[in-house]
Amino acid sequence: MKTPLYTVLLGAAGLASALPTSVHHRRAVPSLNQAATEEAQQRDGTATRAFSNTQIKTSDGRCLFVDELSGDFRANLTPIQVAGCNNSKGQQWDVITSGKHNNVPGQMLVVSALTQACLNFDPRRAGGNQVLLFSCGGRADGGGQVTDSQLFAFGGGAGPLSLTPKNSAGSCLTVKGNVVDVANCNKGDPNQSFTFGNGGNGAAPAPGKAAPPPPPPAAATTATTTAAAPATTNPTSGVIPVSRAGGVLNPAAVAESHQRDNTATRAFSSVSLKSANGQCLFIDPTAGDFRENLIPIVLKPCDNSPNQKFDFITAGKHNNQPDASLVVSSLTQGCLNFDERRAAGDTVILFSCGGRADGGGAVTDSQVFAFKAGEKSLRLQPKNARGAVCLVPNAAGRLDQAPCSQDPGQLFTIV
């Protein structure tokens, strides 16, 4: 019995010696969703790069690296790890000083040459998990533009330099063991000192010449309003196809993203919202992504099904606003959400309450709607639109946006 075990251990040791040393555990992705990754991580071929395919070295001579399978299915949320330098693709980085995701002088993006995702500092995340790679622009699907969480002060040289995120003055990235974390800036701390390549001044190559761009992204799948046999219960097991990113429902991710707030004050529970045309708002849990986010809201004949039931939450962990309510699906626990950054016709969706895809958000104006206690006829006016936008049915039978008016066709009735 000893010989086979010894052989197995030898094999494991040999495999480990070929990999970068790391204490970080992978999240849970055996492979990437290629189409979703290509959509989320698009190389900016027009950007100005101060450095291309360079290593980022720590003060003790090690290199920052990423493992594309240590995040989610899109290669987002990947931790920044530290290991001996080996010039692998995971240890190569681009420094972008201007482009579609950086329009701020004196700032840089630090972009993985392996995944095309940006170094990102998110103070809303749990301690020890705030420094990650994320889609450049700050939108998980790659649709973002510029975000301060990915901009770092840059004077043009290769260092040594500190990495200070624009969204957190006084904070610097730091090496903690085998990962990169954040701490209060301390000029005397060698763990906060980084160098691009072997030091010296960077030379900006012609845009787009550092490496070939990835293949064009696959066309994003758009949820339709005519899906056959929509789910009338919330799926929790089995292989359940979904219309958007991820391909299939992930019950564990759904449970994390959509947690019912049992402490909330509900003005109404399990009610329907009837439009002026007599139809009711309806959601299909499989019409969004793997977390049951990005679900479109459509209108169908009122049938009292679970898909047409909503809670009105006037106070709770995701609503601290007076004279306002969340509109929450009783079926999925997702919140009605207005996001003006999304493509036309796709700005009204269900999303994790609090506005974070993983369920970690608190309160966001995109989910808070004007509401007076006791009213049963109302316009759906999202707070982030400042009274200018009301949610209305469009010609395709989907809930959409329009300028608010006195048109009674914009009214909904709670039934």
Side-chain angles (χ1 to χ4, degrees), residues 17-322:
S17 67
L19 297 173
T21 303
S22 170
V23 297
H24 197 282
H25 299 289
R26 289 183 176 181
R27 291 175 186 269
V29 286
S31 62
L32 298 177
N33 180 310
Q34 195 63 33
T37 301
E38 289 173 357
E39 178 189 40
Q41 320 295 355
Q42 298 183 37
R43 187 179 191 273
D44 183 1
T46 67
T48 300
R49 290 169 168 80
F51 298 91
S52 294
N53 296 325
T54 189
Q55 293 176 323
I56 303 177
K57 293 184 177 178
T58 62
S59 61
D60 61 1
R62 294 184 295 164
C63 282
L64 306 194
F65 83 96
V66 294
D67 171 3
E68 63 183 349
L69 297 182
S70 63
D72 68 9
F73 72 104
R74 287 187 178 110
N76 279 329
L77 305 179
T78 49
I80 318 303
Q81 305 182 63
V82 185
C85 299
N86 60 19
N87 207 36
S88 64
K89 195 69 172 177
Q91 292 188 355
Q92 295 178 18
W93 304 84
D94 292 353
V95 175
I96 290 179
T97 53
S98 67
K100 65 181 182 180
H101 301 302
N102 182 8
N103 59 4
V104 183
Q107 300 288 320
M108 65 178 171
L109 301 174
V110 180
V111 183
S112 167
L114 175 64
T115 70
Q116 298 303 317
C118 277
L119 184 61
N120 186 90
F121 172 63
D122 187 348
R124 303 170 302 175
R125 299 187 65 84
N129 194 33
Q130 297 173 329
V131 182
L132 303 160
L133 284 190
F134 204 78
S135 298
C136 295
R139 282 271 302 275
D141 62 0
Q145 295 180 350
V146 178
T147 173
D148 286 355
S149 66
Q150 296 175 349
L151 295 176
F152 295 82
F154 181 60
L161 73 164
S162 59
L163 296 175
T164 304
K166 192 173 189 295
N167 65 335
S168 184
S171 295
C172 287
L173 303 195
T174 186
V175 175
K176 288 187 180 179
N178 290 341
V179 295
V180 176
D181 203 352
V182 70
N184 292 330
C185 290
N186 178 356
K187 289 185 178 180
D189 185 352
N191 292 316
Q192 297 182 9
S193 179
F194 301 90
T195 304
F196 297 129
N198 293 316
N201 292 323
K209 297 297 184 181
T221 303
T222 302
T224 68
T225 60
T226 57
T232 56
T233 59
N234 202 10
T236 57
S237 62
V239 179
I240 310 296
V242 294
S243 298
R244 291 190 164 180
V248 296
L249 206 63
N250 183 323
V254 172
E256 177 187 43
S257 298
H258 302 288
Q259 299 180 34
R260 189 177 192 273
D261 183 2
N262 291 319
T263 67
T265 300
R266 288 171 167 79
F268 297 98
S269 295
S270 295
V271 295
S272 296
L273 272 169
K274 183 185 287 187
S275 68
N277 68 12
Q279 293 185 309
C280 287
L281 301 190
F282 176 101
I283 64 100
D284 175 359
T286 67
D289 70 7
F290 74 109
R291 283 191 177 107
E292 292 185 355
N293 281 328
L294 307 178
I295 296 173
I297 296 90
V298 300
L299 289 100
K300 292 197 171 190
C302 300
D303 61 9
N304 207 38
S305 67
N307 308 68
Q308 296 183 352
K309 296 300 182 183
F310 297 87
D311 295 354
F312 277 68
I313 291 181
T314 52
K317 63 182 182 180
H318 300 301
N319 182 13
N320 58 7
Q321 306 292 315

Side-chain angles (χ1 to χ4, degrees), residues 329-365:
S329 167
S330 307
L331 180 61
T332 70
Q333 299 304 313
C335 273
L336 184 61
N337 186 92
F338 171 66
D339 186 348
E340 60 188 350
R341 303 169 300 175
R342 297 186 64 81
D346 195 33
T347 56
V348 183
I349 51 174
L350 275 194
F351 203 80
S352 299
C353 294
R356 282 274 302 276
D358 62 0
V363 178
T364 173
D365 286 353

Side-chain angles (χ1 to χ4, degrees), residues 3-18:
T3 301
L5 177 58
Y6 178 74
T7 303
V8 169
L9 291 174
L10 272 180
L15 176 61
S17 67

